[in-house]
Amino acid sequence: MSSMRPIIVFGDGTFASLAAYCLRHDARRTVAAFAVDRAYLHKSEHEGLPVVAFDALESAFSPVEFELIIPFGAARINGLRQERFLDAKARGYTLASYISSRACVWDGFEPGENCLVFEQAVVQPYATVGDNVLLRSGANIGHHSRVGSHAFIATGCAFGGNVTVGERAFVGVGAVLRDGIKLGERSFVGAGAVVVADTDPDGVYVGNPARKTNRSAMAVTGGDE
Ligand SMILES: CC(C)(COP(=O)(O)OP(=O)(O)OC[C@H]1O[C@@H](n2cnc3c(N)ncnc32)[C@H](O)[C@@H]1OP(=O)(O)O)[C@@H](O)C(=O)NCCC(=O)NCCS
C-alpha cells in the first residue's frame, strides 16, 4: 500500500467526492486537490480545494510529493480510466489504493495500484484483484476468483468461487456470477443479471439467465465503437 503523502483525486463530480470523503474520514489521508481533463476544467475549486488540469498536474503537484487516485467510472468500457491510469504512471505518479476499514478482506490480500475497495465488499481468501479496479460496496468476490485490471465491479454483486473477470469488464449492480464463470475482456454484465455461461469479449449481457444483447459494451458505456 501507499505511503502517507498527500493525495490528488481525479475528477470533481460525485464519485470523486465520495472517494475524497473515504480517504479523509477512513484512511486519514490528506486530499490536496482535484484534477480533471482540461476540457472539463470549469471551476477552480471543489470542496474548498483547487481543481487543476490533469495534463499540467506536475506544475503544482509533483509526483515526488503527491500521490494520485483515479476513482473514475466505466466510460468507454473502463477505457478512459485505463488511459488516465497509464498516463499517470508514465508521468511518474504513484497511484494510491484504498481499502475501506469496513471491507472484509483476508491476510495477504493486496490489490494492485489505483484500486478502491468500498465498505462491506468481501474478498475471500485466494481471490486476486489487478490494477485499477473498483470494487463497490457489498460486492462479494468468491474464493480463487481473479479480477483483471481495469475492471468495475458494482454494488452488491455476488461471485461464486473461481470466477475470472477479464480486463476492463463491467459487472452491474446486484449481478450474480455462477462459480467458475469467465467474463471476456471488456464484457458488460447489466444490473441484476444472472450469468450462468462465459461471456464474449465486448458483449453486453442482461437478464436471468443472462442473454447476450445486440449492443456492444463500448456503445452502452458512452463510446462510439
Ligand atoms: C444494460 C444497460 C446498460 C442498458 O441500458 P440502456 O442502454 O440505457 O438501455 P435501456 O434502459 O433503454 O433498456 C433497453 C432494453 O433493455 C432492457 N434492460 C435494460 N437493462 C436491463 C437489465 N439490467 N436487465 C434486463 N433488462 C434490461 C430494458 O427493459 C429495455 O427493454 P425493452 O426494449 O424491451 O423495453 C443498463 O440498464 C444497465 O444494466 N446498466 C448497469 C447499471 C449499473 O449497474 N451501474 C452501476 C453503477 S455503480
Side-chain angles (χ1 to χ4, degrees):
M1 292 289 287
S2 56
S3 68
M4 295 300 274
R5 285 182 279 172
I7 194 160
I8 312 298
V9 175
F10 187 94
D12 64 356
T14 56
F15 204 28
S17 290
L18 171 66
Y21 182 97
C22 293
L23 289 164
R24 287 196 195 102
H25 292 268
D26 186 25
R28 304 289 168 198
R29 300 291 299 261
T30 299
V31 175
F34 294 88
V36 297
D37 288 341
R38 189 171 290 278
Y40 294 89
L41 188 57
H42 302 311
K43 57 184 181 182
S44 58
E45 283 192 3
H46 182 67
E47 298 184 353
L49 295 173
V51 180
V52 296
F54 182 58
D55 62 11
L57 192 54
E58 292 88 339
S59 60
F61 300 99
S62 91
V64 176
E65 293 172 78
F66 296 88
E67 295 185 8
L68 181 64
I69 197 162
I70 308 176
F72 198 72
R76 292 189 219 150
I77 192 64
N78 296 308
L80 210 52
R81 194 173 73 259
Q82 179 185 34
E83 278 176 28
R84 298 298 172 273
F85 171 83
L86 295 175
D87 182 24
K89 281 185 67 68
R91 288 158 58 188
Y93 283 98
T94 298
L95 278 295
S97 283
Y98 162 73
I99 303 177
S100 170
S101 63
R102 295 166 171 83
C104 178
V105 301
W106 294 84
D107 290 348
F109 172 68
E110 191 73 43
E113 298 175 75
N114 200 55
C115 288
L116 289 98
V117 179
F118 287 91
E119 67 279 3
Q120 306 298 331
V122 175
V123 183
Q124 284 204 298
Y126 302 106
T128 59
V129 170
D131 289 325
N132 200 24
V133 170
L134 303 183
L135 285 188
R136 298 285 289 116
S137 316
N140 195 318
I141 310 301
H143 66 92
H144 296 88
S145 291
R146 293 172 296 283
V147 180
S149 293
H150 321 293
F152 187 113
I153 313 297
T155 298
C157 296
F159 288 23
N162 291 293
V163 165
T164 303
V165 176
E167 288 200 359
R168 282 176 58 182
F170 174 92
V171 183
V173 171
V176 172
L177 274 58
R178 189 170 75 184
D179 53 290
I181 286 297
K182 292 182 174 55
L183 298 188
E185 293 183 2
R186 301 173 306 281
S187 61
F188 184 105
V189 175
V194 177
V195 182
V196 295
D198 295 352
T199 65
D200 297 334
D202 305 297
V204 174
Y205 293 79
V206 298
N208 177 10
R211 301 284 186 219
K212 191 175 184 182
T213 73
N214 58 8
R215 302 185 67 194
S216 74
M218 186 62 84
V220 300
T221 53
D224 53 7
E225 287 168 34

